[in-house]
Amino acid sequence: MAKLTSKTDTASQTEDFTGTGGETRQVAGGDRPTMTTAQGIPVSDDQNTLRQGARGPALMEDFHFREKMFHFDHERIPERVVHARGYGAHGFFETYEPLTDLTSADIFQRKGERTPAFVRFSTVAGNKGSADLARDVRGFAVKLYTQEGNWDIVGNNIPVFFIQDAMKFPDLIHAAKEEPDRAFPQAQTAHDNFWDFASLSPESVHMLMWAMSDRAIPRSFRFMEGFGVHTFRMVNAEGKSHFVKFHWKPKQGLQSVTWDEAVKINGADPDFHRRDMWNAIQSGDYPEWELGLQVFDEDFADSFDFDILDATKLIPEELVPVQIVGRLVLNRMVDNFFAETEQVAFHTANVPPGVDFTDDPLLQGRNFSYLDTQLKRLGSPNFTHLPINAPKCPFHSFQQDGHMAMHNPKGRANYEPNSWSGEAAGPRENPAKGFTSYPEEVSAPKVRERSETFADHYSQARQFYISQTETEQTHIRDAFAFELSKVETPAIRSRVLSHLQHVDMDLATSLADALGMELPDKADAAREPLTGLEPSPALSILKNGPKSFAGRILGILVSDGVDAAEVDALKKAAEKAGAKVVVVAPRIGGAKAKDGSIIPAQEKTDGGPSVLFDAVAVLTSSEGAETLAQMHAAKTWVADAFAHKKFLWANAPAMPLLQAAGLPKDPDAGMFLDGTSGDGASGPDAFLRACAALRFWDRS
Ligand code: HDD
């Protein structure tokens, strides 16, 4: 009965055989340990339930089956109520210079010190299984395991938020998620409830501009910024406080996709963002962000046009420059997604001594919410005992017992004060070292009231809009038009238009035109917007793109009969530029080159559409191009790349395919046909230099 298997790696170390019923059985041996129950009882048979006779009823005493099924039945924990879909990675934070003048936080006391870090990126609205390229805000939650406790910066890739007061968070999220009666649409705000709520909440207009911009469809987690959003405090050893805003700046530069690509990527690879992170880290191309601080004091806060406690406002970098203080490197994937990424628990109130809160009413509400949600989701106050959540510095308290307690105090004392001594006495408070809240003076009547200083909802929305390039402004207009086209109630669409007239009249007019609607009256403004806010170039993605093509992907479509040397030369040039190459061929077995060699393919034409790549090349033989020109997937591969304004390289034999795909005969400056572009640049190196711009936006 025993048959040797030819399966790879671990399987080959042991004998597999077929059981009496024909089932595959793999037994312990070599590196494969003996399977046990959770109680450690060795298991002899993991294929068959215990039954009375081979065809008889199952027996209740089958403790292995009972335990296995019991555990499986309880595998899921509640998904996060927001940010359910996420992807995490480990790394470290490195302090560039001590910041002792600014803060006593231990992490900023020593130059070059490395602090372990864990980061979880996420989308907000969709369920755990939703697609990565939803138009949505991205979560950017960082846990820094400092020597004085865990510091969580629970931020987003957008520096402002939809609402000003945490009281409105449940309403915002209810409105954004699927509608409760029909349970759709999933992972998108393109529906009546969201726009109804948003248009009735003018404070959301600034964030709506960001959400309709390409910030909400990032090319990858690696190419987006992160923001702490709120104003925090940093307090130094003398007790002096400064206000601070946190920024994470990707060293890779900013990059997004277009909406048409996002829609297609969601079909072609719904895991596009997590796969990108996995591939980059596994291949040693570690993503990096620099931590930047905007530091300011009460005087600046008093002179600023907006309230620094209002999370719907940002402070332009041109006004308060971002000071770079360290870097975050992600260099290790998790060992187990559930144990780490799923069970990691962030909390805005996790701050070490030297960092403190402000009275931002959104932050104050968050500080209440996160602990509560972790208890519900992770099921026990002992979630801090899980390795991903536990501090990496010594920690001691008299907290005890509860579900799944794993750190159990030793000794007699479980209270203080106590009169025991030595180890038995347990920990004590430490006034010199312990966390002390900044003694901000507050004296005011108890009210439910929004400060008048929060009332200007349009000025910064306008500033964001005028800071964008024309291309980006068009994308914003198109995104509004798309989302509102899915809104069934004309009055809601109209209400959005009434607000946008405060942002930009041209935007409102061209959107009304795109929707085929009359422009309604302007909304009444709670406070007249300011005129004359200067554009802030830092707010544009296209003005902050990468300096090279490094970390990007060149997709090369090949056919049989292609010149292998030509493929090799382009591949080498791309790799020299720090990019990766994915070869796409009509068959996954690869393409048969002119010299008879096989060019291995990583994707098949319809499985690896051009939307998955940052730039593309088409290298074929004449015969191969004729064949590809008959294939719909090959034609859309080329036509999409062109329409998405990608840089494109094609050899001379590929022309029939390009023409079948509707591309012009005369190349523009983004098309390198037979090695030369429309503006005369030539050769693979010139092509890859051009690719650093990522898109040829001037293509009409
Ligand atoms: Fe939140 C999760 C970011 C407002 C309540 N939030 C969550 C996560 C991120 C953010 C990145 C995912 C953490 C992870 O990966 O596990 N949230 C933000 C930002 C906000 C914000 C940047 C505005 C500036 N959030 C906000 C408010 C509340 C919450 C106003 C409630 C008062 N957020 C939660 C939560 C979540 C959460 C319900 C769900 C899962 C979790 O906390 O751990 O408590």
Side-chain angles (χ1 to χ4, degrees), residues 80-81 83 120 155-156 169 230 346 366 369-370 373-374:
R80 288 166 175 82
V81 61
H83 295 266
R120 183 175 180 272
N156 281 341
F169 191 68
H230 312 280
F346 295 93
R366 294 181 74 191
S369 176
Y370 286 75
T373 210
Q374 309 310 355

Side-chain angles (χ1 to χ4, degrees), residues 564-586:
E566 212 177 355
V567 179
D568 200 46
L570 193 57
K571 206 170 159 211
K572 287 215 169 85
E575 284 165 0
K576 199 174 85 194
K580 299 213 161 41
V581 169
V582 171
V583 174
V584 181

Side-chain angles (χ1 to χ4, degrees), residues 79-87 119-124 137-142 153-163 165-170 172-173 207 227-230 311 341-348 360-374 377:
E79 66 174 31
R80 288 166 175 82
V81 61
V82 276
H83 295 266
R85 181 170 178 81
Y87 208 56
V119 181
R120 183 175 180 272
F121 302 102
S122 47
T123 48
V124 180
V137 181
R138 298 300 184 286
F140 193 125
V142 181
I153 305 179
V154 198
N156 281 341
N157 74 330
I158 290 179
V160 290
F161 203 62
F162 289 110
I163 48 168
D165 189 314
M167 179 69 106
K168 298 313 296 169
F169 191 68
L172 166 72
I173 301 305
M207 175 86 159
F227 303 92
V229 182
H230 312 280
T341 309
E342 202 55 17
Q343 294 199 123
V344 67
F346 295 93
H347 184 10
T348 41
D360 173 343
L362 199 70
L363 175 60
Q364 298 274 320
R366 294 181 74 191
N367 283 348
F368 171 78
S369 176
Y370 286 75
L371 202 54
D372 200 30
T373 210
Q374 309 310 355
R377 196 166 67 80

